[in-house]
Amino acid sequence: MKLQTPISILAQQPKIDYGSKILLLGSCFSENIGLQFDRFRFQNLQNPLGILFHPFGIEKLLLRATQNDLFTAQDVFCYNDTWYCFEAHSRLKSTQSQDDLLLKLNSALRNTQEYLQNSTHIVITLGTAYIYRHLENDQYVANCHKVPQKYFTKSCVKSDAILASLKRIMNYCNAIRKDVKVIFTVSPVRHMKDGLVENNYSKAQLITAIHDLLPTWPQASYFPSYEIMLDELRDYRFYSKDMLHPSSLAIEYIWERFMQTWINPNAFETMKKVDSVQKRLEHKAFNPQSKQHQNFLQKLKQDIEALQNQYGFMRFTD
């Protein structure tokens, strides 16, 4: 009996292994996948400017990175005694000063520049085609920072404009590293605030633009996160309590499909070792002073040291 409609995904190249460096940009789902890379201790950098929901925010970050266009006082503003930047998520804010925020923004930008130089794979997750344009400066924003809606206009960008943005993104990526692989995906998170019909219309614009891009850019690829959620996990039990975000089980399932598609099988044995270490680090001892637990800690220490000797970049915290 067949109870699912599985998505057929072709194996992709070049594979990701422990020598790869992965840059993840985009919506909150990129961070869901990024947490899996973190858990298995792959080298990665996630959303230096925080979550960016639409392609134009990602494009602007990459433009700044490739042109070394640092943030200045003109790029930040004060609202409710807090400094923000319309190009960054609210996690990059400052209650101290304008200079403090600029320091954070430019530090994140430099991290992006440095990571781009050595990235083997860039994973870009697009969340929505809806954008907010600030009326005063006539520019789209990555985040409204709860500034009143009257200061913005909202619109859904059509696929042709998104396609043009994706082409610029590819050009920026290639300008820094010619052989970098760019993996596009569409977030399965439902944007209920736009409306369910509108959300589907928005996702359709993103998917159309990506598929129109692929034939002319062999460095680009598509991973069907959105389709896996809708077709393989077609049940509300795979959503979190808000019925909008994928549950932890759904994220693990999509990660497994991503693993099968992109991770080099040669890395699986190391992943098992790392996962074993992580689980033991999470273990709560019933009797921390017992000889049994001390032996447990000694073996754990040896296993961590073995991994760190093999992969100098690996770090573990308990």
Side-chain angles (χ1 to χ4, degrees):
M1 183 181 294
K2 191 174 182 180
L3 299 176
Q4 278 184 312
T5 51
I7 305 295
S8 178
I9 311 174
L10 295 176
Q12 298 290 324
Q13 297 288 343
K15 295 290 189 187
I16 294 171
D17 56 28
Y18 279 97
S20 304
K21 287 196 171 184
I22 309 106
L23 175 63
L24 298 107
L25 302 172
S27 82
C28 54
F29 188 73
S30 66
E31 301 195 345
N32 294 147
I33 295 298
L35 287 174
Q36 298 295 327
F37 279 119
D38 278 345
R39 179 171 182 82
F40 291 102
R41 290 301 185 262
F42 284 91
Q43 300 178 88
N44 74 94
L45 176 66
Q46 303 167 34
N47 278 340
L49 289 186
I51 294 167
L52 301 172
F53 293 101
H54 58 71
F56 303 99
I58 298 167
E59 176 192 338
K60 194 147 191 181
L61 167 60
L62 292 172
L63 173 62
R64 282 190 180 275
T66 54
Q67 296 190 356
N68 195 32
D69 183 12
L70 297 179
F71 290 93
T72 67
Q74 294 180 339
D75 301 311
V76 299
F77 67 97
C78 189
Y79 179 69
N80 284 343
D81 299 319
T82 302
W83 288 91
Y84 297 99
C85 175
F86 278 133
E87 295 179 39
H89 190 266
S90 55
R91 74 172 63 159
L92 273 82
K93 63 184 178 183
S94 176
T95 56
Q96 298 180 33
S97 67
Q98 179 187 79
D99 288 342
D100 180 60
L101 176 57
L102 288 173
L103 184 65
K104 292 178 181 178
L105 291 168
N106 286 320
S107 176
L109 185 61
R110 291 188 188 96
N111 286 342
T112 307
Q113 291 172 315
E114 292 173 7
Y115 216 86
L116 274 171
Q117 296 286 346
N118 300 299
S119 291
T120 57
H121 299 77
I122 301 175
V123 181
I124 295 179
T125 306
L126 305 182
T128 182
Y130 281 97
I131 64 167
Y132 288 82
R133 186 173 290 273
H134 192 237
L135 292 171
E136 184 177 340
N137 59 24
D138 194 32
Q139 292 187 357
Y140 59 79
V141 300
N143 196 295
C144 294
H145 302 299
K146 298 185 178 179
V147 173
Q149 294 283 309
K150 65 182 180 180
Y151 295 106
F152 304 92
T153 58
K154 177 183 176 181
S155 62
C156 186
V157 182
K158 303 299 188 292
S159 63
D160 55 349
I162 296 170
L163 174 60
S165 177
L166 298 185
K167 288 180 178 178
R168 290 190 291 269
I169 285 173
M170 292 300 302
N171 281 323
Y172 298 147
C173 293
N174 283 354
I176 292 183
R177 183 159 179 168
K178 294 285 186 185
D179 59 347
V180 69
K181 187 71 177 183
V182 182
I183 305 167
F184 288 100
T185 189
V186 171
S187 170
V189 177
R190 302 189 301 165
H191 288 244
M192 181 72 83
K193 66 179 182 179
D194 296 324
L196 288 178
V197 172
E198 292 80 2
N199 172 72
N200 288 337
Y201 178 68
S202 165
K203 302 287 190 187
Q205 304 305 315
L206 299 174
I207 293 168
T208 300
I210 294 171
H211 285 284
D212 285 346
L213 174 81
L214 297 181
T216 55
W217 287 91
Q219 305 97 318
S221 182
Y222 181 66
F223 180 76
S225 302
Y226 179 76
E227 292 82 356
I228 291 171
M229 191 72 196
L230 261 64
D231 286 293
E232 292 194 30
L233 305 177
R234 191 182 296 195
D235 193 306
Y236 277 112
R237 66 193 171 98
F238 293 114
Y239 285 88
S240 59
K241 288 182 179 179
D242 65 5
M243 295 297 175
L244 304 176
H245 292 78
S247 67
S248 58
L249 180 62
I251 291 167
E252 286 180 23
Y253 182 88
I254 295 172
W255 165 251
E256 286 182 5
R257 296 302 312 272
F258 186 91
M259 247 177 50
Q260 295 162 4
T261 306
W262 280 105
I263 305 296
N264 192 325
N266 293 336
F268 290 169
E269 187 61 32
T270 298
M271 291 176 70
K272 288 179 182 177
K273 293 177 182 178
V274 171
D275 189 48
S276 173
V277 166
Q278 298 284 40
K279 287 176 179 175
R280 283 179 283 166
L281 286 171
E282 294 162 1
H283 174 72
K284 301 298 182 183
F286 179 73
N287 182 1
Q289 306 307 319
S290 69
K291 183 178 180 180
Q292 182 183 21
H293 185 66
Q294 295 308 309
N295 291 337
F296 170 87
L297 292 178
Q298 181 62 29
K299 180 63 168 65
L300 175 58
K301 180 181 178 183
Q302 292 171 356
D303 289 347
I304 289 175
E305 288 175 350
L307 283 167
Q308 290 179 333
N309 288 336
Q310 185 176 3
Y311 303 100
F313 58 83
M314 277 195 189
R315 294 293 179 269
F316 294 88
T317 56
D318 54 2

